[in-house]
Every structure is written in C-alpha cells, then in structure tokens.
C-alpha cells in the first residue's frame, strides 16, 4: 500500500526505475525474513540489476540541449536580410492584373 502511495507522488521515470528494483528487493526479503536460500546465480542477478540501475540513475554530467537551427521565413521586403530574401518563381503579373483596381 505504501509502495503505491509513493509511486503516485514521484515522476514516471523514477517510478519505473523503482519498479525494476522490486524483484530484487523481494528476493532479498525472502532470504532475510522467510529464510529462503538463494543460489549464487540469484545473487549475481540481483547484483546485475542493482549495477544496471545505478548506471541508469547516476548523472553523466551537465546536459546541454543540442543546438538546432530554426529557419525563419523572410519575405522580399526591405526588412529581410540580404542573404535571406526569397526569390519569386511565379510569373510576373500580366497587364490585366495590374489594371484591376482593388
């Protein structure tokens, strides 16, 4: 009951990591509380689980966000940077379109 209460109050990544440790804790409690005998391979498995979870949870250093380029769309107006002006590929307006008043 307390395990479920605690899982509801931690982030999902932490809850997943703790859930992966649950079988190892159950095996150790079976040895300590009930008096079960765990073979050497079982102890090796517990050690492997604990070591792998330690590798997953130890911070590796400062995390920086990868630099990404954001392409802005610039028009052909006077405020667009010289190297970023777009080139119109559609045909020039015809004389009829110029004659139509808005």
């Amino acid at each position: 009951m307390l395990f479920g209460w605690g899982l509801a109050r931690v982030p999902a990544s932490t809850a997943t990591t703790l859930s992966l440790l649950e079988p190892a804790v159950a095996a150790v409690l079976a040895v300590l509380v009930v008096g079960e005998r765990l073979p050497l391979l079982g102890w090796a498995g517990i050690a492997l689980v604990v070591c792998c979870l330690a590798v997953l949870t130890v911070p590796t250093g400062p995390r920086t966000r990868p630099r990404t380029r954001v392409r802005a769309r610039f028009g052909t107006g006077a405020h667009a940077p010289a190297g970023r002006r777009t080139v119109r590929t559609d045909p020039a307006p015809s004389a009829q379109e110029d004659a139509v008043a808005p």
Side-chain angles (χ1 to χ4, degrees):
M1 193 151 94
L2 290 176
F3 185 73
W5 179 82
L7 287 180
R9 285 158 178 73
V10 296
S13 59
T14 304
T16 302
T17 304
L18 290 174
S19 295
L20 292 173
L21 192 58
E22 188 178 353
V25 171
V28 170
L29 285 177
V31 170
L32 296 176
V33 175
V34 183
E36 289 283 331
R37 292 188 54 113
L38 194 61
L40 184 60
L41 191 58
W43 289 110
I46 289 173
L48 183 64
V49 166
V50 170
C51 288
C52 290
L53 288 176
V55 167
L56 288 175
T57 57
V58 172
T60 58
R63 295 182 86 173
T64 59
R65 296 178 73 192
R67 291 180 60 183
T68 57
R69 286 186 159 187
V70 178
R71 278 197 169 158
R73 293 185 179 217
F74 295 102
T76 56
H79 298 292
R84 299 284 184 164
R85 290 194 179 124
T86 56
V87 178
R88 292 186 69 166
T89 57
D90 55 342
S94 65
Q96 289 178 343
E97 290 174 338
D98 288 339
V100 176

